[in-house]
Amino acid sequence: MTSSTVVDHEIVIVGAGFSGIGFAIALRKAGFDDFVMIDEADGVGGTWHWNTYPGIAVDIPSFSYQYSFEKQRTWSRVYAPGRELKAYAERCVQKYGLRPRIRFGTTIARAEFDDELHLWRLTTSTGDVITARYVVGATGVLTRPKLPEIPGAERFRGTIVHTARWDHDLELRGKRVGIIGTGASAVQVIPEIAPDVASLVVFQRTPIWCLPRPDAPLPQAVRTLMRLPGGQLLTRMLSQAFVEITFPLAAHYYNVLPMVKLGERSGLAHLRQQVRDPAVRAKLTPDYALGCKRPSFSNDYLKTFNRENVLLETDPIQEITATGLRTAGAHHQVDVLIMATGFKVMESGNMPTFDLYGSGGTSLEDWWDTHRLQAYEGVSVPGFPNFFTIIGPYGYNGASYFTLIEMQTTHILRLLRRARRHDSTRVEVTHEANDRYFQEMLNRRGTQVFWQDSCALANSYYFDKNGDVPLKPMSTAEAAWRAAHFDMKDYRFEKVGSPVQRGVESAQLT
Ligand code: NAP
């Protein structure tokens, strides 16, 4: 520590998922050693620790779903199963010596900034207090499982399980099962369990766009290629290009690029090839444009609806009874009810997962309620000094989360290095820089896919309560350039007890 103020740690990272792990590795490499990672789980991996439902796998090619500096040759498939991601997280933690720095089973309930001492005071759910100069929020957004507000759940005599908290003692073989939801989790669970259960009723509110998945066990040729000089780089580059074209470019430049229309054609053809019954096919056909909400990728999901033991129910659920679920036209008896109902993405208490009070005691949630969701480059919010997020509003552009993690890490590390060099103890984005960035994000969204009328029918969690979609409307190349080159004058640097110091020319600092 460079300041005279005593804190428990220079940096607290909240979250030991891939965001927290990636940031911690970069910190160590940059020579910042006084940090601790805190996670409420009893293991690392975040999403891949909590989500262990049958059929779980990554949804973008594994060559892209990994750190650029820690490429793995041993993925079993193009789209690796969840357990391999969890093992990858464990390996990274082991290799970079992070385990002794992680406090497992610890929930941060509250964080308050001390304006006088320039430090954060974090309070855990058991009342312990940890102080730190900087807090890095790495709690993700798909964190808090969401249960549907359907009356009667307390009366149900069978078993209820949420996909994000799977119970591995639960036996589904021969059972009558109901599943609520048809998002990305359901798309993976449904084909996996359908052959084993006596019956499966799928309660669909909004059909999902389901595209073919170019998945396969990794062919020997690719494994050999990855062992050759440059082979890993080549596979990575091809994979990155595929992800870039099919996610960020398709979504943000919808007006000028044809990917969405091509994707819709592919999705409809996939549906025609896979589902025999025209009435079922009609029910599975989305009436909103591809991209309004996150699509899914599966070669098995749609054809599961051809099975004798699978029923697609599209009438709204009226209530959960002691023995099943009632819709307007039927009562479906089930022994097990699977909630594939997603996460509280834009809802209170999720971003971050703890109450955060910045300068002057302002609550971050209240600030966002008043000013709409916004954060400079998705990292910093004015009035919340020394707090940085890995995935804040207008930070993520839709490419691999790993690309995001590395870009935001670059941004934050530039600030920490600058603060260390100048002995600063308070780092805060200026209101002007934040306003400029927010306005730019709003000005650039005209070319995005989200603003078509049909998106109103999608029930998409991309939209917040103001109707904004806080994704970063730009290519990954541009986002990466900005992380490495944003103007340091967009931040104010201050030292305890001394006047405010504006960032000096960025050329001097990088
Ligand atoms: P989700 O996409 O939010 O889907 C939740 C589903 O539950 C939706 O179909 C929703 O219907 C339905 N639902 C919610 N409340 C309901 C109610 N009261 N009655 C009827 N239906 C209800 O959640 P998810 O499938 O868990 O996926 C969340 C995100 O996690 C994904 O978008 C993705 O980013 C990530 N994910 C990734 C992977 C992967 O990479 N392999 C796998 C799984 C999840 P509506 O559509 O009508 O709201």
Side-chain angles (χ1 to χ4, degrees):
M1 281 298 306
T2 47
S3 133
S4 55
T5 316
V6 176
V7 288
D8 295 326
H9 299 282
E10 184 177 15
I11 303 153
V12 166
I13 303 168
V14 189
F18 280 121
S19 298
I21 295 169
F23 185 73
I25 293 171
L27 270 186
R28 292 208 74 174
K29 287 181 180 172
F32 289 86
D33 255 338
D34 182 11
F35 67 89
V36 65
M37 300 166 75
I38 296 180
D39 202 297
E40 52 195 31
D42 59 5
V44 298
T47 286
W48 306 98
H49 173 84
W50 290 108
N51 288 262
T52 59
Y53 57 77
I56 185 163
V58 67
D59 246 5
I60 65 165
S62 304
F63 314 110
S64 292
Y65 201 79
Q66 57 183 342
Y67 301 116
S68 61
F69 56 85
E70 195 56 50
K71 294 192 271 304
Q72 178 167 296
R73 291 199 192 95
T74 53
W75 301 115
S76 64
R77 306 185 64 84
V78 176
Y79 293 79
R83 63 175 181 284
E84 292 185 25
L85 272 311
K86 167 78 176 161
Y88 177 67
E90 298 276 2
R91 251 196 318 282
C92 291
V93 164
Q94 198 62 31
K95 176 170 174 182
Y96 293 93
L98 300 180
R99 195 164 295 275
R101 294 156 182 276
I102 307 176
R103 270 177 72 169
F104 290 112
T106 304
T107 302
I108 298 298
R110 188 181 171 92
E112 292 151 287
F113 188 68
D114 185 320
D115 277 304
E116 207 177 311
L117 299 177
H118 296 182
L119 56 81
W120 283 97
R121 215 165 267 117
L122 297 115
T123 310
T124 71
S125 56
T126 54
D128 288 350
V129 175
I130 305 162
T131 53
R133 178 72 67 218
Y134 303 104
V135 172
V136 173
T139 49
V141 286
L142 303 169
T143 309
R144 297 279 180 250
K146 182 173 172 174
L147 289 170
E149 285 164 14
I150 302 171
E154 69 291 346
R155 288 198 298 265
F156 185 60
R157 289 204 297 265
T159 306
I160 296 181
V161 65
H162 192 283
T163 47
R165 297 291 180 272
W166 197 259
D167 174 1
H168 289 274
D169 293 331
L170 181 63
E171 179 56 79
L172 293 181
R173 203 169 294 275
K175 295 274 173 59
R176 297 168 304 176
V177 177
I179 181 164
I180 303 180
T182 50
S185 301
V187 164
Q188 295 185 328
V189 173
I190 288 168
E192 192 70 19
I193 63 172
D196 289 338
V197 301
S199 61
L200 179 64
V201 186
V202 178
F203 294 89
Q204 171 188 278
R205 191 164 62 181
T206 312
I208 188 96
W209 276 103
C210 181
L211 302 172
R213 184 177 169 93
D215 191 21
L218 266 197
Q220 192 52 48
V222 176
R223 286 176 192 281
T224 310
L225 176 67
M226 289 203 299
R227 275 195 213 98
L228 298 176
Q232 276 199 14
L233 185 64
L234 181 67
T235 43
R236 167 98 177 170
M237 278 168 58
L238 291 173
S239 173
Q240 293 287 86
F242 171 76
V243 173
E244 189 68 10
I245 290 168
T246 52
F247 287 83
L249 296 186
H252 301 311
Y253 301 99
Y254 157 77
N255 276 4
V256 281
L257 298 171
M259 272 80 81
V260 167
K261 290 287 166 226
L262 291 173
E264 284 181 352
R265 245 182 268 162
S266 158
L268 293 174
H270 193 42
L271 194 53
R272 275 195 305 275
Q273 279 155 14
Q274 294 226 324
V275 182
R276 285 196 295 268
D277 182 338
V280 175
R281 217 186 291 145
K283 287 182 181 179
L284 289 166
T285 306
D287 53 4
Y288 57 89
L290 172 68
C292 294
K293 75 191 297 180
R294 189 182 183 285
S296 278
F297 305 84
S298 172
N299 301 329
D300 309 314
Y301 170 68
L302 293 172
K303 65 184 179 200
T304 306
F305 292 96
N306 296 327
R307 295 182 63 92
E308 292 283 314
N309 68 336
V310 175
L311 176 75
L312 178 64
E313 174 61 272
T314 54
D315 279 350
I317 303 164
Q318 291 179 336
E319 61 167 343
I320 299 173
T321 67
T323 55
L325 293 96
R326 194 183 308 285
T327 62
H331 181 251
H332 300 279
Q333 304 255 355
V334 300
D335 307 308
V336 176
L337 177 55
I338 300 171
M339 301 294 192
T341 45
F343 302 88
K344 298 175 180 172
V345 182
M346 299 284 184
E347 292 168 42
S348 159
N350 185 51
M351 213 168 56
T353 51
F354 47 91
D355 295 331
L356 190 108
Y357 300 91
S359 183
T362 306
S363 143
L364 181 57
E365 238 176 61
D366 289 351
W367 195 85
W368 274 335
D369 268 350
T370 312
H371 297 91
R372 295 157 71 175
L373 281 178
Q374 49 180 298
Y376 174 74
E377 297 285 348
V379 170
S380 306
V381 183
F384 297 84
N386 296 6
F387 173 71
F388 312 113
T389 61
I390 302 291
I391 178 165
Y394 301 98
Y396 178 49
N397 79 337
S400 167
Y401 271 116
F402 282 82
T403 315
L404 169 81
I405 293 163
E406 292 184 29
M407 288 187 304
Q408 305 306 64
T409 295
T410 300
H411 182 124
I412 301 166
L413 270 179
R414 286 184 64 208
L415 298 174
L416 297 183
R417 284 201 190 97
R418 159 75 173 83
R420 180 172 271 194
R421 272 201 303 274
H422 295 258
D423 222 7
S424 308
T425 52
R426 178 179 165 130
V427 181
E428 182 182 356
V429 69
T430 66
H431 279 278
E432 304 80 61
N434 179 69
D435 290 350
R436 190 187 68 233
Y437 180 73
F438 184 48
Q439 202 48 56
E440 184 194 352
M441 295 302 97
L442 299 183
N443 292 345
R444 290 179 66 161
R445 67 187 192 180
T447 56
Q448 289 178 314
V449 71
F450 313 115
W451 311 110
Q452 300 163 83
D453 291 345
S454 72
C455 285
L457 306 169
N459 247 356
S460 170
Y461 70 71
Y462 287 167
F463 293 82
D464 69 10
K465 62 184 172 197
N466 294 307
D468 292 329
V469 176
L471 291 170
K472 199 171 199 165
M474 64 185 72
S475 68
T476 303
E478 183 183 349
W481 192 91
R482 292 168 75 121
H485 297 95
F486 68 85
D487 194 337
M488 211 49 94
K489 281 184 288 191
D490 287 347
Y491 281 87
R492 270 200 320 269
F493 292 83
E494 208 178 319
K495 192 170 172 179
V496 169
S498 70
V500 174
Q501 188 193 356
R502 252 335 242 285
V504 294
E505 290 301 324
S506 45
Q508 287 173 253
L509 300 165
T510 46

